[in-house]
Amino acid sequence: AIRMTQSPSSFSASTGDRVTITCRASQTISSYLAWYQQKPGKAPKLLIYAASTLQSGVPSRFSGSGSGTDFTLTISCLQSEDFATYFCQQYYSYPYTFGQGSKLEIK
Amino acid sequence: EVQLLESGGGLVQPGGSLTLSCAASGFTFSSYAMNWVRQAPGKGLEWVSSIRDSGGSTYYTDSVEGRFTTSRENSENTLYLQMSSLRADDTAVYYCAKGTCSGGSCAFDFWGQGTPVTVSS
């Protein structure tokens, strides 16, 4: 199975900050990479797919980049509603696998 | 509006069985791959299973292969997950998710609210 490793696992930031989360795949996954946001007690929400394509309705402050094995999710100007846990997922091959999550907390 | 509504979760003894359902609406169900993802308490997301739009192909994570069966009834817009020989480590919230696919590879663009499964004596 392809292993997905996210960093950092948790971190804090302030409203208005620019933050970046990284995701590394244990082998190449081309651009078959998605990013999800999850808030406590809620289902995950798709933010980015195909590494850099913004899902409809997602604010443009979210962006994704990368291909092959190294990917990033950037939030350009943190809003209060962005404090959540973020997961990357590869869908290049079965079994699909998720990163362990990156919890973003308010500083 | 896409809606996915899971049901069928609950408390079951180790070794027992349970069938989850996911009722879909707001899209042409028969045209999309569907998926099950679970989340153990306080843990991350784990992909469980996928089924192609026609139902002709199914895929499973190793830990449930041979114990879980995913199926769909396109005429009723419903996805199923039949779970047997349940173990304590199957305890989780189970989500169904609609696939958004490119060349057969799918991200998950809409999720249900989840249904909890607890395996305990």
Side-chain angles (χ1 to χ4, degrees), chain B residues 5 13-14 20 30 32 39-40 42 45 47 51 54 57 62-63 65 67 70 91 94 96 102 112 115-116 118-119:
Chain B
L5 184 61
Q13 293 189 336
L20 307 183
S30 59
Y32 292 90
Q39 188 168 35
L45 301 171
W47 171 78
I51 186 168
S54 65
S57 297
D62 284 350
S63 64
E65 184 82 55
R67 299 188 300 121
T70 293
T91 294
Y94 285 73
C96 70
S102 172
T115 187
T118 302
V119 184

Side-chain angles (χ1 to χ4, degrees), chain A residues 17-58:
Chain A
D17 285 352
R18 177 186 178 92
V19 300
T20 297
I21 299 169
T22 65
C23 179
R24 175 164 289 175
S26 61
Q27 63 188 75
T28 184
I29 58 170
S30 185
S31 295
Y32 293 99
L33 190 282
W35 289 98
Y36 301 89
Q37 177 194 67
Q38 187 179 33
K39 297 182 179 179
K42 300 295 187 181
K45 173 186 174 182
L46 178 65
L47 300 175
I48 302 278
Y49 63 97
S52 61
T53 302
L54 195 67
Q55 171 69 352
S56 176
V58 174

Side-chain angles (χ1 to χ4, degrees), chain B:
Chain B
E1 177 191 9
V2 172
Q3 291 194 349
L4 298 169
L5 184 61
E6 303 96 336
S7 61
L11 175 64
V12 60
Q13 293 189 336
S17 299
L18 206 59
T19 297
L20 307 183
S21 301
C22 173
S25 61
F27 64 103
T28 306
F29 181 73
S30 59
S31 296
Y32 292 90
M34 294 296 295
N35 311 273
W36 290 101
V37 177
R38 68 184 178 183
Q39 188 168 35
K43 302 298 184 182
L45 301 171
E46 180 185 25
W47 171 78
V48 174
S49 177
S50 297
I51 186 168
R52 294 294 191 199
D53 51 4
S54 65
S57 297
T58 52
Y59 308 86
Y60 301 94
T61 192
D62 284 350
S63 64
V64 310
E65 184 82 55
R67 299 188 300 121
F68 290 12
T69 301
T70 293
S71 62
R72 61 193 296 161
E73 182 53 69
N74 284 344
S75 64
E76 296 183 356
N77 295 339
T78 303
L79 174 72
Y80 300 99
L81 181 66
Q82 296 174 272
M83 305 184 292
S84 63
S85 302
L86 283 161
R87 313 185 305 220
D89 63 356
D90 294 316
T91 294
V93 174
Y94 285 73
Y95 296 100
C96 70
K98 172 183 168 291
T100 179
C101 305
S102 172
S105 297
C106 309
F108 308 150
D109 59 351
F110 290 94
W111 298 60
Q113 85 291 346
T115 187
V117 172
T118 302
V119 184
S120 175
S121 54

